[in-house]
Structure formats: C-alpha cells, structure tokens
Amino acid sequence: MQVYKVGGAVRDRLLGLPVTDVDRVVVGATTEEMLAKGFRPVGADFPVFLHPKTGEEYALARTERKSGRGYGGFTFYASPEVTLEEDLIRRDLTINAMAEDDQLNLTDPYHGQRDLEARILRHVSPAFAEDPLRVLRVARFAARYAGLGFTVADETMDLMRQLSESGELQALTAERSWKEISRALLEDHPQVFIQVLRDCGALKELMPEVDALFGVPQPETHHPEIDTGLHTLSVLEQSALHKQPLTVRWACLLHDLGKGLTPEEEWPRHIAHEHTGLKLIKAVNERFKVPKDCQELALLVGQYHTHGHRALELKASTLLELLQSFDIYRRPQRFEEFIAACEMDARGRKGLEQRSYPQADYLRGAAKAARAVAVQPLLEQGFKGPELGEALKRERLKALKAYKEAATA
Ligand code: ATP
Ligand code: MG
C-alpha cells in the first residue's frame, strides 16, 4: 500500500503556510489490512481510519457517485484498485486535489500547482455540482486566501450559480452549513465569503435577509458608503481586522437586518430597525442551529446597537435598563462583546474606519459604576426579596447619575 498526504496539507506547504491538520489517502489497501495494522475506524459511511499513534486521518482511496439529493445521496466505492488519480478527481478544487509522498514527489493530475501560482480557485471536474456544500467551501477558501490574491474561476462561479439556482442548497443540513459559515467568518477576510456567496446567488438562498440589504440606502451623513449591504461587509471586515471572536462577527453580520424591511417610502431612514430586525435575526439563528452564545449576542446587538452609539446621550435610567438587559453582573464578557460589535459597526463606514469610539470606555465605566453598588449595606438595612431588587436598582441608578455627571462634566 502507498500513503500520500492530500488536500490542505499539500496546498498550504506549497503556499509556504503553516500546516495544521494533515489528511492522508491510502492506495492499494483494504479495510481488513488497515485494521490489522492497528488503525481505528471512524465514521460509518467512509472508509476512514485514525493512526494508532498519531491520531491523524487516513482515508482509503475512493470514488463516489451521486445517487440522490443532499449529502446522504452519495454512494462510495473504496477498494485497493481505486487509483490516486481517481480519488483526487472527486475533490472540490484543483489546489485541493494534489498529493505528495514521503519524498515530497507531487502528484498533480488536475494542475493544482498551476492554479496555485495563478491564484485561482477552480473546480476539478463537473462532478463539483454534486455536492452543494462546495459552494460554501469555495467561498470560504476565497475568504481565507483573499489576502494572497486568490479569486474564483469564472467557470467555477458558473457552476456555483447553477447550484444556487437549482435549489440544492436547501438540502444542506444546518450542521454542515454552520460549520462552513462559522469557519469562514473566522477567516481573515470574512466579507469576501459573503461577497462570493452573493455573486453566485447563494446568499439569496442561504440568508435572504442579508442579501436583501444590498441596494438599501442609509443616510449619507452617518453612512458615507450609503448601501446597507456594503456597510455590513465593512463591519465584518473591521471585525476581522480587530480579531474579534465568532460571537462578535456573527452579530456584526446580522445587526442591521431590520433595514431590509423598511418600506421604500421611508428610505434612507430606518425607524425602529432594531426591533423589526429581531424576528429576522431569530430566523437566521434557527435556520443554522447557531450556538447559543452567538444567537444571544446577535439578538442583543441587533436590539441595542443604536443605544451603544448614543451611549453618552442616554439618560441614566436608560443606561441602567441597558446594563440590566445584558445582565452585566453575571455576564461581564457578553457586554464587552456588545461594545466591540458596536465599535465595529461605527468603524465599518466608508472613510470612518480610524475614528475613535469614546462610547466604548464610557459604557465600560458605566458597567463598572453599576457593579460597584454593594448589596451588603442594603441587606443590613433589612431589604429582602423583591424590595431588595428595587433598592439595588435605585442605588445603581444613583451611581449611574453620578457617573454620567462626572464623565460628561
Ligand atoms: P483546511 O485547511 O480547512 O482543513 P482542507 O482542504 O484540508 O482545508 P478538509 O475539509 O480538511 O479541507 O478536507 C480535506 C480535503 O478533502 C480537501 O482538500 C478536499 O480535497 C477534500 N474535500 C473535503 N470536503 C470536500 C467536499 N465537500 N467536496 C469535495 N472535496 C472535499
Ligand atoms: Mg484539512
């Protein structure tokens, strides 16, 4: 049997990038031989094994044939007769369809190296269209390698467009989609992921609520870029430049969804978009079974981001309501993430990327002032139950009034 490194490990070594996870393909072996060598089988569907010592993945060379809708609709065929070339042709992109042996001899039947040099993401064969997840994967690779100058080949975009129009994207499971979306958002250029999905018509299928933001104007005074879709891309770009976590990036993507619902007669204003957007944010959250922390932050940022921007003008009582809504006493980190998302929103505007955002420190100071109110003296005064809660609120309000006066003096 022969073992080759394949996929990302080969691609990233040739690009001079660090290699994190290594996938291997085994040619000329049977499942029985693998088991006899101590490999542990994983996954019911695929002939994939883990190395007994390193734990790295070894897959038997296989071919596959589409036999139905979605990802379950594949028939795999693995046998010692399947050649390396046959295994590589079922892969998504030419730059992912190269293999190398221990001596670093490259097997590259589909010209991945040529496309690496030309900075092109190109599908390997028409079989690309058999798995709609590849639309998301290509957009994700575009987001990852945009900084190196990679773009998607025109003919690959055509296939992605056909796949999007066919409705096949609807067959993807929430889990598979979210895995790609979340990984893409954490890349260096997550806005490219959204842009590529939009360009091939997939965004309209996957997140019509985000797609609807393109072409919707905002007031030029606050938004020199005018277009809400472009603004959203810029906010996402800022979130990556500032190395924000996934929660913040997800919230950035969804914060303005309400603006897609504004009646045209009201353009470019978007009264109460924070509220109209909530049901859309909820729908997107549920569609992809998004992790709870991401769901929560997206909803809170959607509802309160304009509060964040107006922080210095908020009455002490409104400030208190804001802090209570975030439960800053038990969830300090979540409030920090809210502040970060607001700041990204403020910077994700044409020409305003470098602006200062004094609201951030002001909000942190307010949270600190509210948290500094001690419970003990109130207990000693005999407050308990709901009355204690009320007394605590009164004291916090007092503290916030003093804070506001001192900070804005
Ligand atoms: P990463 O650096 O993100 O791990 P990768 O290219 O190694 O990138 P994996 O998801 O680990 O991506 O997959 C390994 C290889 O398997 C890919 O390079 C590609 O050749 C192939 N592959 C994975 N998923 C698909 C798919 N849905 N369709 C076609 N080929 C795929
Ligand atoms: Mg990999």
Side-chain angles (χ1 to χ4, degrees), residues 310-325:
R310 289 188 293 109
L312 281 90
E313 293 99 68
L314 296 180
K315 290 189 297 187
S317 58
T318 314
L319 208 44
L320 179 61
E321 277 168 34
L322 179 71
L323 300 176
Q324 303 284 93
S325 303

mmCIF file of all heavy atoms in Angstrom, residues 310-325:
data_model
loop_
_atom_site.group_PDB
_atom_site.id
_atom_site.type_symbol
_atom_site.label_atom_id
_atom_site.label_comp_id
_atom_site.label_asym_id
_atom_site.label_seq_id
_atom_site.Cartn_x
_atom_site.Cartn_y
_atom_site.Cartn_z
ATOM 1 N N ARG A 310 -25.338 55.937 20.993
ATOM 2 C CA ARG A 310 -25.824 57.130 21.691
ATOM 3 C C ARG A 310 -25.486 57.088 23.177
ATOM 4 O O ARG A 310 -26.066 57.831 23.976
ATOM 5 C CB ARG A 310 -27.341 57.268 21.491
ATOM 6 C CG ARG A 310 -27.729 57.669 20.060
ATOM 7 C CD ARG A 310 -29.219 57.996 19.936
ATOM 8 N NE ARG A 310 -30.049 56.814 20.138
ATOM 9 C CZ ARG A 310 -30.818 56.595 21.202
ATOM 10 N NH1 ARG A 310 -30.887 57.486 22.171
ATOM 11 N NH2 ARG A 310 -31.525 55.487 21.299
ATOM 12 N N ALA A 311 -24.580 56.236 23.562
ATOM 13 C CA ALA A 311 -24.311 55.988 24.988
ATOM 14 C C ALA A 311 -24.180 57.277 25.793
ATOM 15 O O ALA A 311 -24.765 57.406 26.873
ATOM 16 C CB ALA A 311 -23.052 55.135 25.139
ATOM 17 N N LEU A 312 -23.427 58.244 25.264
ATOM 18 C CA LEU A 312 -23.163 59.452 26.049
ATOM 19 C C LEU A 312 -24.390 60.335 26.207
ATOM 20 O O LEU A 312 -24.429 61.196 27.077
ATOM 21 C CB LEU A 312 -22.003 60.255 25.452
ATOM 22 C CG LEU A 312 -20.627 59.684 25.797
ATOM 23 C CD1 LEU A 312 -20.160 58.670 24.766
ATOM 24 C CD2 LEU A 312 -19.593 60.784 25.968
ATOM 25 N N GLU A 313 -25.389 60.133 25.340
ATOM 26 C CA GLU A 313 -26.615 60.944 25.455
ATOM 27 C C GLU A 313 -27.709 60.238 26.237
ATOM 28 O O GLU A 313 -28.744 60.844 26.542
ATOM 29 C CB GLU A 313 -27.180 61.280 24.061
ATOM 30 C CG GLU A 313 -26.304 62.205 23.214
ATOM 31 C CD GLU A 313 -25.475 61.429 22.203
ATOM 32 O OE1 GLU A 313 -26.056 60.860 21.276
ATOM 33 O OE2 GLU A 313 -24.236 61.377 22.368
ATOM 34 N N LEU A 314 -27.532 58.970 26.546
ATOM 35 C CA LEU A 314 -28.598 58.223 27.225
ATOM 36 C C LEU A 314 -28.829 58.745 28.635
ATOM 37 O O LEU A 314 -27.886 59.080 29.350
ATOM 38 C CB LEU A 314 -28.249 56.725 27.306
ATOM 39 C CG LEU A 314 -28.132 55.956 25.999
ATOM 40 C CD1 LEU A 314 -27.793 54.490 26.294
ATOM 41 C CD2 LEU A 314 -29.404 56.045 25.168
ATOM 42 N N LYS A 315 -30.096 58.803 29.013
ATOM 43 C CA LYS A 315 -30.427 59.131 30.400
ATOM 44 C C LYS A 315 -29.887 58.017 31.302
ATOM 45 O O LYS A 315 -29.780 56.862 30.864
ATOM 46 C CB LYS A 315 -31.954 59.188 30.582
ATOM 47 C CG LYS A 315 -32.614 60.364 29.904
ATOM 48 C CD LYS A 315 -34.082 60.455 30.313
ATOM 49 C CE LYS A 315 -34.837 59.216 29.835
ATOM 50 N NZ LYS A 315 -36.291 59.276 30.033
ATOM 51 N N ALA A 316 -29.637 58.355 32.555
ATOM 52 C CA ALA A 316 -29.117 57.347 33.481
ATOM 53 C C ALA A 316 -30.071 56.153 33.570
ATOM 54 O O ALA A 316 -29.642 54.997 33.647
ATOM 55 C CB ALA A 316 -28.888 57.965 34.855
ATOM 56 N N SER A 317 -31.371 56.419 33.538
ATOM 57 C CA SER A 317 -32.335 55.318 33.657
ATOM 58 C C SER A 317 -32.281 54.390 32.440
ATOM 59 O O SER A 317 -32.400 53.168 32.566
ATOM 60 C CB SER A 317 -33.743 55.867 33.841
ATOM 61 O OG SER A 317 -34.076 56.700 32.752
ATOM 62 N N THR A 318 -32.070 54.961 31.251
ATOM 63 C CA THR A 318 -31.961 54.134 30.038
ATOM 64 C C THR A 318 -30.673 53.321 30.070
ATOM 65 O O THR A 318 -30.642 52.146 29.687
ATOM 66 C CB THR A 318 -31.980 55.024 28.779
ATOM 67 O OG1 THR A 318 -33.047 55.973 28.915
ATOM 68 C CG2 THR A 318 -32.198 54.208 27.531
ATOM 69 N N LEU A 319 -29.623 53.976 30.555
ATOM 70 C CA LEU A 319 -28.337 53.296 30.698
ATOM 71 C C LEU A 319 -28.489 52.078 31.622
ATOM 72 O O LEU A 319 -28.005 50.981 31.326
ATOM 73 C CB LEU A 319 -27.342 54.297 31.292
ATOM 74 C CG LEU A 319 -25.849 54.177 31.003
ATOM 75 C CD1 LEU A 319 -25.556 53.887 29.540
ATOM 76 C CD2 LEU A 319 -25.151 55.458 31.444
ATOM 77 N N LEU A 320 -29.222 52.292 32.708
ATOM 78 C CA LEU A 320 -29.439 51.200 33.655
ATOM 79 C C LEU A 320 -30.203 50.055 32.995
ATOM 80 O O LEU A 320 -29.832 48.886 33.131
ATOM 81 C CB LEU A 320 -30.198 51.697 34.894
ATOM 82 C CG LEU A 320 -30.495 50.608 35.938
ATOM 83 C CD1 LEU A 320 -29.204 49.996 36.481
ATOM 84 C CD2 LEU A 320 -31.339 51.168 37.091
ATOM 85 N N GLU A 321 -31.257 50.411 32.263
ATOM 86 C CA GLU A 321 -32.026 49.363 31.560
ATOM 87 C C GLU A 321 -31.132 48.564 30.617
ATOM 88 O O GLU A 321 -31.242 47.336 30.521
ATOM 89 C CB GLU A 321 -33.156 49.996 30.741
ATOM 90 C CG GLU A 321 -34.405 50.309 31.542
ATOM 91 C CD GLU A 321 -35.362 51.199 30.739
ATOM 92 O OE1 GLU A 321 -35.420 51.035 29.499
ATOM 93 O OE2 GLU A 321 -36.008 52.059 31.354
ATOM 94 N N LEU A 322 -30.255 49.284 29.935
ATOM 95 C CA LEU A 322 -29.341 48.618 29.008
ATOM 96 C C LEU A 322 -28.456 47.616 29.767
ATOM 97 O O LEU A 322 -28.337 46.454 29.380
ATOM 98 C CB LEU A 322 -28.474 49.670 28.302
ATOM 99 C CG LEU A 322 -27.439 49.151 27.306
ATOM 100 C CD1 LEU A 322 -28.123 48.606 26.050
ATOM 101 C CD2 LEU A 322 -26.453 50.257 26.911
ATOM 102 N N LEU A 323 -27.884 48.077 30.864
ATOM 103 C CA LEU A 323 -26.986 47.203 31.635
ATOM 104 C C LEU A 323 -27.741 46.003 32.202
ATOM 105 O O LEU A 323 -27.216 44.886 32.221
ATOM 106 C CB LEU A 323 -26.317 48.002 32.773
ATOM 107 C CG LEU A 323 -25.462 49.186 32.326
ATOM 108 C CD1 LEU A 323 -24.938 49.962 33.538
ATOM 109 C CD2 LEU A 323 -24.293 48.730 31.462
ATOM 110 N N GLN A 324 -28.981 46.257 32.641
ATOM 111 C CA GLN A 324 -29.797 45.155 33.184
ATOM 112 C C GLN A 324 -30.116 44.139 32.077
ATOM 113 O O GLN A 324 -30.093 42.942 32.315
ATOM 114 C CB GLN A 324 -31.110 45.677 33.770
ATOM 115 C CG GLN A 324 -30.954 46.724 34.869
ATOM 116 C CD GLN A 324 -30.525 46.144 36.211
ATOM 117 O OE1 GLN A 324 -29.327 46.083 36.503
ATOM 118 N NE2 GLN A 324 -31.481 45.733 37.022
ATOM 119 N N SER A 325 -30.427 44.643 30.879
ATOM 120 C CA SER A 325 -30.762 43.740 29.768
ATOM 121 C C SER A 325 -29.606 42.796 29.463
ATOM 122 O O SER A 325 -29.802 41.675 29.002
ATOM 123 C CB SER A 325 -31.071 44.524 28.497
ATOM 124 O OG SER A 325 -32.112 45.427 28.725
#
